[in-house]
Amino acid sequence: MGDLSLVTIIIIAANVIISFKGFNDPGFFHKYKFNIADIKSGKKYQIFTSGFLHVDHSHLFVNMLTLYFFAESVMYYLGTTGFIVVYLVSLILGNLLSLYFHKDEYHYTAVGASGAVMGVLYAAILLNPDMMLGLFFIIPIPAYLFGIGYLLYTIYGMKSRRDSIGHDAHFGGAVGGYLSTIILAPYVLEAHLMMVILLAIPIIILFILHRTGKL
């Protein structure tokens, strides 16, 4: 988590600029947000564009702060191209799974980079399981606990459905980051097997809860 690379700066800047445009332009926001009815009518681009919009300033801040914490670590191990692959795969898979989960809910809408960020977070933890974070910039905690806690927040968001945040995309993003990292860096299956298993658990729990109708 040293100096930010140009790619990370560009991604953060794109999220900030597009999100602020959406904050101040409802027409723009509604055109590019994730909306089941629109996507089924042919506006497939929303699967991608919604990943750069956010509900409000705090939603944007949390996602960009999380990206800041983890992006450089992923880039260090996978390189710039690998990082971009993880980010885009997680963003798109997150929204594709949201589309699958809500395919019959034509009123369903969502926005946020949460899927992409969750994928980057999962990739960083798989690649560097000993990473520590400063909770509130003070309290040191293992990064994997942060990751699991982030998914617990996802479960709450999916159950409450009190906002337009793409909580379902967290699940898809985690899967995207998890699988793409294993494909790009298969050595983690041997070098960090315990973390591979540990991070699979919340993904499996989320899948079971959804399949049993408890989310």
Side-chain angles (χ1 to χ4, degrees), residues 43 95 106 128 141 146 156 159 176 179 212:
K43 298 179 180 179
N95 282 336
Y106 283 77
N128 185 13
I141 64 168
F146 180 86
Y156 168 77
K159 288 179 69 69
L179 293 179
T212 56

Side-chain angles (χ1 to χ4, degrees), residues 38-113:
D38 286 348
I39 293 171
K40 286 202 168 186
S41 71
K43 298 179 180 179
K44 301 293 193 298
Y45 60 82
Q46 291 182 352
I47 292 172
F48 177 76
T49 59
S50 61
F52 292 88
L53 290 168
H54 290 80
V55 171
D56 52 34
H57 297 84
S58 62
H59 182 209
L60 173 64
F61 176 76
V62 169
N63 274 338
M64 295 304 99
L65 182 64
T66 305
L67 181 62
Y68 163 78
F69 278 140
F70 293 101
E72 302 308 302
S73 179
V74 175
M75 211 168 302
Y76 175 81
Y77 288 98
L78 299 182
T80 300
T81 300
F83 167 75
I84 293 172
V85 168
V86 169
Y87 190 91
L88 294 179
V89 166
S90 301
L91 188 161
I92 294 171
L93 184 57
N95 282 336
L96 284 176
L97 284 183
S98 287
L99 179 62
Y100 173 74
F101 289 159
H102 301 281
K103 58 183 179 294
D104 297 321
E105 302 174 38
Y106 283 77
H107 64 282
Y108 182 83
T109 65
V111 294

